[in-house]
Amino acid sequence: NSSESHNCAKSILTSDRLQVVVTLVEFFNDTWETANCANCLKNSSEGLSDSTVEFLDLFNKSLTCFEHNLQGQAIYLSPNNYTEVCRNCNETYRKLNDLYNNLQRLNRQGGESGHSAHLCIDVEDAMNITRKLWSRTFNCSFPCSDTVPVIAVSSFILFLPIVFYLSSFLHSKQKKRILILPKRIQSNAALVNIQEKYS
C-alpha cells in the first residue's frame, strides 16, 4: 500500500538499536555537503561540469610534465636543483593556476553548478597538491606580475619626505641676523651730558 510504504520503510530502517543505515546515510550526506561535491557537477547533476573537466585535464597535464622532466634525471639532480621542471612546466602550471583562480572567482558568483560556495574538494585538493609540488618540492618560483609597480610606488613614497624637506629648505627665506654693536663711548658721553645738565 503506497500510503503505508513510508511508515514501513521507516520501521525497517530504524528497527535496530544502532540505526546503522540511517547513520550511514547521514554521514554520506554530511560528507557530500562539507566537500561541496555539487560544485563539480552540472546544474542538473548529470555529470562533471565543463570547467571541472578542463581543470582536471590541465591537472593531469601538469603532473605528466613533472614526471616527464624528472625521468632519468632524478639520480643526477640535487634536492634543490629542478630547473628543468621549472622551465619546461612553467606554462602548464601557469595555465592551471589561472584557471583555478578564474574558477574561484566564478564560483563566488554562482558558477555552472548554481551553488555559491567553495570549489569542490577534488579541485581544491588537486590544486593544493600541484602548488605544494611546484613551490616546496621543486622550489620553483611563480613570478608576480605586480613587482615593478609595487617597487615604483614604494620608491616614490620613500622619497616624498626628502623632496618635501628639500623644497621647504630651498623656498623658505632665511632671515639673516643683524648684530647691532653697542656704542658705549657715545652712550657714556650722553650719560655725562645728562648728569651735567642736572648738576
Side-chain angles (χ1 to χ4, degrees):
N1 192 347
S2 60
S3 62
E4 296 178 0
S5 62
H6 180 69
N7 293 332
C8 179
K10 187 176 180 181
S11 63
I12 290 173
L13 290 174
T14 60
S15 61
D16 61 337
R17 186 172 59 87
L18 294 177
Q19 299 181 1
V20 175
V21 176
V22 175
T23 305
L24 286 175
V25 168
E26 288 176 356
F27 169 75
F28 286 120
N29 285 337
D30 288 343
T31 304
W32 180 270
E33 291 295 324
T34 306
N36 299 306
C37 294
N39 292 341
C40 277
L41 305 175
K42 291 180 181 175
N43 215 359
S44 55
S45 298
E46 295 172 355
L48 291 175
S49 65
D50 296 336
S51 58
T52 304
V53 171
E54 183 183 0
F55 177 85
L56 292 176
D57 182 48
L58 266 175
F59 171 67
N60 289 331
K61 284 180 182 176
S62 298
L63 292 184
T64 304
C65 183
F66 294 161
E67 290 174 13
H68 176 71
N69 285 284
L70 287 175
Q71 283 179 351
Q73 300 177 10
I75 300 169
Y76 306 107
L77 288 176
S78 64
N80 294 324
N81 188 12
Y82 294 104
T83 53
E84 289 292 319
V85 176
C86 298
R87 184 171 54 246
N88 296 335
C89 301
N90 185 30
E91 186 179 346
T92 310
Y93 176 78
R94 187 184 297 269
K95 286 180 182 176
L96 182 71
N97 194 52
D98 290 344
L99 178 61
Y100 179 77
N101 291 335
N102 288 336
L103 288 176
Q104 275 189 320
R105 189 172 58 251
L106 287 173
N107 206 48
R108 289 187 198 111
Q109 301 166 356
E112 291 180 63
S113 64
H115 301 276
S116 57
H118 296 284
L119 293 171
C120 71
I121 198 70
D122 293 334
V123 172
E124 287 186 349
D125 280 350
M127 195 65 217
N128 286 341
I129 289 167
T130 311
R131 284 179 173 169
K132 188 175 180 181
L133 284 171
W134 183 259
S135 60
R136 291 187 188 172
T137 305
F138 302 135
N139 205 13
C140 299
S141 62
F142 190 59
C144 182
S145 59
D146 296 338
T147 305
V148 174
V150 167
I151 291 173
V153 170
S154 301
S155 301
F156 176 73
I157 290 174
L158 285 174
F159 282 110
L160 272 179
I162 296 169
V163 171
F164 172 75
Y165 286 114
L166 187 64
S167 63
S168 175
F169 176 76
L170 293 175
H171 292 294
S172 66
K173 293 181 180 177
Q174 297 293 327
K175 294 183 178 178
K176 294 182 179 179
R177 293 183 182 176
I178 301 172
L179 294 176
I180 302 174
L181 296 173
K183 299 179 181 176
R184 294 178 188 249
I185 298 171
Q186 292 177 355
S187 62
N188 286 339
L191 184 60
V192 169
N193 289 338
I194 294 172
Q195 287 177 352
E196 286 177 355
K197 285 182 185 179
Y198 290 111
S199 60

